[in-house]
Amino acid sequence: MAIFGLSTQKCKSINLSVPYAPKGDREQGGLLESIDIIGISLLECPPMDAEDFLRLTKLSRLSLSEEEKAQFIESLNQILVYIDLLKDIPTDGIPPCSTVLESLSLSLREDIPGDILSRDLFLENTPAHIGGMVRVPTVLKQE
Amino acid sequence: MTLHTLSLSSLRDLFISGAVSAEEITRHFLSRIEKHNGALNAFLSVFPEEALEKARSLDLKRKRNEPLGKLAGIPIGIKDNIHVFGKLTTCGSKFLSNYKAVFDATVTRLVQEEDAIILGKTNLDEFAMGSSTENSAYGASKNPWDITRSPGGSSGGSSAAVAARLCPVAFGSDTGGSIRQPAAFCGITGFKPTYGRVSRHGIVAFGSSLDQIGPLTYSAMDAALIMEVIGQPCSHDATSLPYPPEPASRILEPLKEATIGVPWKFLEGLESASHHAFLNALSTFESLGCKFVDVDLDLMSNAIAVYYILATAEASTNLARFDGVRYGVRALEASSLEEMIDLSRSQGFGPEVKRRIMLGTYVLSSGYKDAYYKKAQKVRSLMIQKFKEAFNKCSVILTPTAPFPAFKLGQIQNPLEMYLQDIYTIPASLAGLPAISIPSGITPEGLPLGLHLIGPQMQDHEVLRYAHHFQMAQTSPSFIPPAFEAL
């Protein structure tokens, strides 16, 4: 039994349960088994450690509770192991896709200033403002 | 009167002919919302006053014999990540619980110009990230076929509302299947246009190379009518395609000697009810004179990995704007700007949004970008190529929309398992292709199943045409949830 590209063994290795995987349709030689042959290497891409994770929370501009930290490090590692299956697909000489609209030369219009958004309307959504400007806590602190 | 079971064109005709006033239509749907929304949590906000005011102005226009729009008198729901000027756009997030849109999205403007009546805003997974609406900060929506089950996601509020006949059409947005999977779970039609066909101006961005707005309706014909209004170029969206709208009537052309592609190997492992419904759908197309050809989409088994790299990378960038400085809920206890930003984000975002921001940040970070982000972009190129090869052999490709019917709320706790739900819808998103989900059958437990048709880029009308003829050939079952059929 497996689910979309992961054998039971692989599911277990990343602690993924498959409680409602469809029954009886996972014979050998099918799509899922063929992906197993592509394989997922747990060794070559080590899961994120605590130090990586700390760096990541900073880059993401999030301050997390201890409970969230434990939850996210586990689920992110699981996902990272899963997405690592891509590394076995040969892509030498293949250009990276940045837009699906190949024929489209981005249709840029004239850059003409318009009356798009008034200051008053903009300020209605700002959490704090003063003198027509957005107010934020102290940026520079006195030593 | 069963106004809530009528097609968009019948509803409009009734109004135009004077048989029913726009006010009566609007009151009918508003009363259904009042009666059922408590159980379904499909709408996050409803605008009875504005809707009735618009309806009365349409009635006046009609009496004065002034010209009326293509959607005259038709009530519509709008997913709550699409702007309606002056109304909250919460995106299903605590962060934007106080955010009022400062302009109309292009799609909002276009349907209003054609005299549609906006009823309210519908629920969604936070920032459209999810497949069940369970990630909404305002509670999950419920599936009208079984309220213990999910209506799908992320456009689950829209799918539940249309399925329960609380409105005949609602907008959704689709990044990896967020229109099509909820349409399948709720037994309705959900159309994702070609990337760039519909303006994204005024939708809160999630994955900008993937996001696309589209309609959830009772039928492909209704979806075609909506596309006739919203499928047009927009000067506010640089990815908007420069092609004029296509008349809905194009989809009436009969299917002649059509060839449909079926990626048999990609479909192995379907559970029996889904498999059975899929084979039945093939028979229906066969009876319409279609032939089938096997197409090779084996590579698509990697689509989820590609998607969760690219979509989260784009999301981490797009969601960087939510810093508590200019809008949204700001953390008040912070003593510095830096702390305010971190705390506002941490308090405002739910767990799935945080997880995706972190994953996206990780795959873009120094040392990992080539291994993940660039690699995924290359596999995406390969997938686009695979679809091109497949479309050399056929006009549209058929798969189920989802591997299973609607699951129970709370049933899927593991995020990766939730992602894997989208195996059949994500490939079309990655290639920017038009795709539709239409109801194809009902399981023995009474849950609807969806059939998924994918077409080549800019062949939106072809996808709708195949779907329309399929629906015309289908004589049973009824896809109105029994509990919501009556007044």
Side-chain angles (χ1 to χ4, degrees), chain A:
Chain A
M1 285 278 276
I3 183 163
F4 308 123
L6 294 176
S7 67
T8 307
Q9 196 189 346
K10 293 288 196 276
C11 286
K12 276 184 188 155
S13 71
I14 57 171
N15 196 25
L16 174 65
S17 62
V18 282
Y20 71 105
K23 298 171 206 84
D25 294 315
R26 305 270 170 196
E27 291 96 9
Q28 296 218 331
L31 161 75
L32 301 156
E33 292 302 323
S34 71
I35 298 165
D36 286 346
I37 295 163
I38 293 169
I40 297 166
S41 165
L42 286 164
L43 298 171
E44 287 178 42
C45 182
M48 193 188 310
D49 62 20
E51 202 179 317
D52 288 339
F53 185 76
L54 186 67
R55 180 172 145 263
L56 184 59
T57 56
K58 282 184 182 154
L59 285 172
S60 307
R61 302 303 306 259
L62 293 168
S63 70
L64 302 175
S65 68
E66 290 307 312
E67 195 190 337
E68 282 178 317
K69 283 179 191 167
Q71 199 185 72
F72 289 151
I73 196 163
E74 189 191 328
S75 58
L76 285 170
N77 271 323
Q78 229 181 46
I79 297 163
L80 288 174
V81 169
Y82 178 75
I83 63 181
D84 204 39
L85 62 84
L86 293 187
K87 81 173 183 337
D88 293 308
I89 301 173
T91 51
D92 287 349
I94 304 293
C97 167
S98 53
T99 173
V100 295
L101 302 173
E102 53 194 39
S103 60
L104 185 80
S105 54
L106 289 181
S107 45
L108 301 179
R109 59 186 160 80
E110 289 290 303
D111 188 12
I112 303 165
D115 195 11
I116 302 297
L117 177 59
S118 75
R119 180 181 292 249
D120 287 346
L121 194 53
F122 168 78
L123 288 173
E124 277 181 24
N125 276 312
T126 56
H129 57 91
I130 184 167
M133 287 178 281
V134 177
R135 183 175 189 165
V136 293
T138 317
V139 178
L140 298 171
K141 281 185 182 161
Q142 282 187 326
E143 286 296 319

Side-chain angles (χ1 to χ4, degrees), chain B residues 305-342:
Chain B
V306 173
Y307 177 82
Y308 277 94
I309 293 171
L310 299 179
T312 59
E314 293 178 21
S316 74
T317 312
N318 278 324
L319 271 62
R321 74 188 53 154
F322 298 108
D323 53 13
V325 174
R326 293 153 297 163
Y327 38 69
V329 177
R330 180 184 287 188
L332 294 173
E333 64 272 37
S335 59
S336 71
L337 179 65
E338 295 289 302
E339 196 188 353
M340 186 200 85
I341 293 172
D342 291 4

Side-chain angles (χ1 to χ4, degrees), chain A residues 84 86-87 91 96, chain B residues 309 362-379:
Chain A
D84 204 39
L86 293 187
K87 81 173 183 337
T91 51
Chain B
I309 293 171
Y362 185 84
V363 299
L364 286 175
S365 65
S366 164
Y368 297 103
K369 193 175 171 185
D370 284 356
Y372 291 111
Y373 185 69
K374 276 243 170 86
K375 182 73 184 182
Q377 283 186 307
K378 288 179 178 181
V379 180

